[in-house]
Amino acid sequence: MSARILVVDDVETNVRLLEAKLTIEYYDALTCGDGLTAIALAIAEQPDLILLDVMMPGMDGFETCRRLKDEPKTRHIPVVLVTALDGRHDRIRGLEAGADDFLTKPLDDVILMARVRSLTRLKMVMDELREREESGRRVGVDTAGVARLKGSGGRVLVVDDNALQAAKVAQELAVEHRPLVEADPVAALEAARGAVDLMIINVTSEGFDGLRLIAQARSKEPTRRLPILALVDAQDRPRLLKALDLGANDILTRPVDPEELSARVRTQVRRKRYGDFLREKLDHSLEMAVTDALTGLHNRRYMTNQLQALVARTNRGSEPVAVLVLDIDHFKAVNDGFGHDAGDEVLREFSVRLATNVRAVDLPCRFGGEEFVVVMPGTTLEDAHRIAERIRRDVGAAPFRVMDGKAHLNITVSVGVAATTGADDTPESLLKRADEGVYEAKASGRNKVVARAA
């Protein structure tokens, strides 16, 4: 898997060395020597990962990282701080600035490439979500809430059979989060299916195989996207590398440093919420694409696609499908006499009465204006006629209250009914017959149901 990586270091020798290592592994490397140029390049080129030196003149790596994470166009790009500093304070400062990891010079090439692979995999997933988010933004979906996402208050599942260590980790987490400790890996996987923001797994546990637990979590749909922080011994390189290869999002070495634990957990919780945010916006934008904004019913586009599939199945020998076409009588008089706001109130109330008089498997839709369609799978012409009569009676049974109850309008509806009869039916022919039934109902006095056979 190739990726574009931005290398930022003011020492030319370091830049060329890292560039050579990345090129050998088939990565595309961009380079620069200062923080301001790095920010501009990141915005323009959108790399998949940034390897950022800390000790630079002018703007240091900490401030550069902070600005990258504050900028909406670059906050999603993983940043690894690379430095000769190996102090605990500097590492925590880097994580709190938003860095995804902190690597110490001289670099361990194997660990470096493992982190590069892990973080670029994550970036690819986030890029797909962001592309869909951008599509949602273009159709008016609100995405401003991402700036308010926090890394505290998360539900963190600690999976560890070392009771003393687990208790200590939970105690530290309880300051900002809601920890849950589980020693049994089977029970942990079940618990992770719920509202969990992060799973911390001790891969050195004696009672279970922590690496296998990571693999199982990644193979199951409910936990596939759940962030995993692996606890490993500092000198246990094989386990550390294997945890990253299996899909651990981050590594925390033992003995656990409380501040580093807090910083890494905040990063993972914030990232999880960002991913959830994008997915929710995607779901919302998809819903908007198939839903009528005024009534909450499905729209014409969605109805057309569903009817096409149902008629195709019917033509292959499946159950019949029926459609109702409903047109509110004298609706223009409502708009002319009481205003379009009152007309909208009538449409919303009509939609409620329509939806409550059809079955759960039926598909009530707003076709356009005051015209509605109900698609009814597995329904004969006679059954559809009976349901249409029930809708007609309910619509006319009680007045529609509009204008905050100041007006009560008597509303009626004319309904045309059609159902498939053989292999020659099409969605268009079915809707045309039902539409002809509506015209006949209106021509004969309105407030009627007319069924049209083929």
Side-chain angles (χ1 to χ4, degrees):
M1 177 184 67
S2 185
R4 303 185 73 198
I5 299 176
L6 174 59
V7 178
V8 187
D9 197 316
D10 63 312
V11 178
E12 183 69 16
T13 305
N14 294 340
V15 171
R16 296 304 164 217
L17 182 60
L18 258 179
E19 184 181 19
K21 290 178 179 180
L22 294 169
T23 302
I24 290 172
E25 297 294 330
Y26 301 101
Y27 290 105
D28 181 14
L30 305 170
T31 64
C32 70
D34 64 90
L36 287 174
T37 305
I39 294 170
L41 267 176
I43 292 173
E45 300 294 336
Q46 292 292 299
D48 298 297
L49 178 67
I50 300 173
L51 297 177
L52 178 61
D53 185 45
V54 170
M55 302 301 291
M56 295 187 295
M59 185 190 302
D60 66 14
F62 297 126
E63 180 60 25
T64 303
C65 181
R66 190 173 292 108
R67 293 195 188 186
L68 286 166
K69 293 301 181 178
D70 286 341
E71 167 59 51
K73 294 179 181 178
T74 58
R75 63 161 58 104
H76 63 286
I77 302 174
V79 176
V80 176
L81 290 177
V82 182
T83 179
L85 302 173
D86 60 358
R88 167 182 172 275
H89 172 73
D90 294 307
R91 186 169 62 252
I92 293 168
R93 184 182 171 195
L95 293 169
E96 289 180 342
D100 295 85
D101 208 344
F102 193 99
L103 297 180
T104 304
K105 299 177 183 177
L107 293 177
D108 183 315
D109 291 351
V110 177
I111 292 179
L112 168 65
M113 292 307 168
R115 293 306 282 145
V116 167
R117 286 192 297 272
S118 174
L119 290 169
T120 52
R121 277 199 306 264
L122 173 67
K123 170 68 164 41
M124 290 178 65
V125 174
M126 301 306 283
D127 277 350
E128 181 178 354
L129 291 172
R130 289 181 67 256
E131 286 174 10
R132 297 180 182 182
E133 177 206 19
E134 181 60 32
S135 298
R137 185 184 292 116
R138 286 196 293 267
V139 298
V141 178
D142 175 30
T143 56
V146 68
R148 299 189 296 272
L149 297 178
K150 304 296 182 185
S152 58
R155 185 68 167 160
V156 182
L157 176 61
V158 181
V159 190
D160 194 346
D161 62 352
N162 183 330
L164 186 61
Q165 177 175 264
K168 181 181 178 182
V169 169
Q171 182 180 4
E172 296 294 343
L173 291 174
V175 176
E176 291 186 75
H177 305 279
R178 295 167 294 146
L180 170 67
V181 176
E182 182 57 67
D184 177 29
V186 176
L189 280 176
E190 186 61 32
R193 296 167 62 94
V196 173
D197 296 302
L198 172 66
M199 184 156 59
I200 299 177
I201 300 176
N202 179 12
V203 299
T204 63
S205 293
E206 296 181 0
F208 63 87
D209 187 342
L211 293 173
R212 183 171 298 279
L213 181 56
I214 294 175
Q216 289 173 333
R218 286 291 172 256
S219 68
K220 297 179 182 299
E221 181 59 32
T223 55
R224 186 164 293 157
R225 293 189 293 263
L226 179 64
I228 296 174
L229 176 60
L231 291 182
V232 299
D233 289 328
Q235 306 306 317
D236 195 346
R237 292 177 75 259
R239 273 202 177 100
L240 186 154
L241 295 171
K242 194 63 176 178
L244 289 171
D245 285 342
L246 288 172
N249 299 79
D250 201 0
I251 298 293
L252 182 64
T253 57
R254 303 193 310 165
V256 174
D257 181 286
E259 289 190 51
E260 184 174 353
L261 169 68
S262 297
R264 291 189 184 275
V265 167
R266 277 196 299 271
T267 297
Q268 294 303 321
V269 169
R270 188 184 299 112
R271 183 184 290 157
K272 165 69 159 50
R273 288 174 176 170
Y274 180 50
D276 289 346
F277 173 86
L278 295 179
R279 290 183 183 92
E280 287 169 8
K281 291 303 177 185
L282 170 61
D283 291 343
H284 181 55
S285 62
L286 290 175
E287 183 179 350
M288 286 182 64
V290 299
T291 302
D292 176 64
L294 177 65
T295 64
L297 300 179
H298 288 300
N299 61 18
R300 181 172 182 166
R301 176 191 302 171
Y302 184 78
M303 181 277 299
T304 301
N305 291 336
Q306 296 300 308
L307 183 59
Q308 183 80 45
L310 287 168
V311 170
R313 284 204 291 269
T314 297
N315 291 341
R316 293 194 297 267
S318 188
E319 295 178 312
V321 57
V323 295
L324 312 181
V325 175
L326 309 95
D327 195 289
I328 298 174
D329 297 327
H330 302 298
F331 184 73
K332 185 175 184 300
V334 175
N335 281 334
D336 292 345
F338 298 90
H340 287 280
D341 287 345
D344 288 348
E345 290 183 73
V346 168
L347 291 173
R348 283 192 288 265
E349 175 60 22
F350 179 85
S351 300
V352 171
R353 298 192 191 191
L354 174 62
T356 54
N357 278 285
V358 298
R359 305 166 302 173
V361 296
D362 297 331
L363 189 66
C365 311
R366 186 182 180 197
F367 199 65
E370 69 271 24
E371 192 172 30
F372 294 77
V373 171
V374 180
V375 178
M376 311 180 73
T379 307
T380 63
L381 187 67
E382 293 75 16
D383 290 338
H385 188 282
R386 186 171 60 255
I387 294 171
E389 277 289 354
R390 185 171 70 209
I391 295 169
R392 184 193 65 80
R393 288 194 300 270
D394 189 61
V395 169
F400 284 49
R401 296 180 55 183
V402 298
M403 303 168 63
D404 294 327
K406 296 175 183 176
H408 295 70
L409 306 181
N410 293 315
I411 301 296
T412 61
V413 62
S414 298
V415 188
V417 184
T420 52
T421 57
D424 295 332
D425 266 315
T426 65
E428 294 76 18
S429 64
L430 199 59
L431 288 169
K432 182 179 180 181
R433 292 202 302 272
D435 206 38
E436 289 171 351
V438 173
Y439 281 112
E440 184 177 333
K442 287 188 174 292
S444 60
R446 294 184 170 83
N447 193 24
K448 291 185 179 179
V449 175
V450 174
R452 295 296 296 267

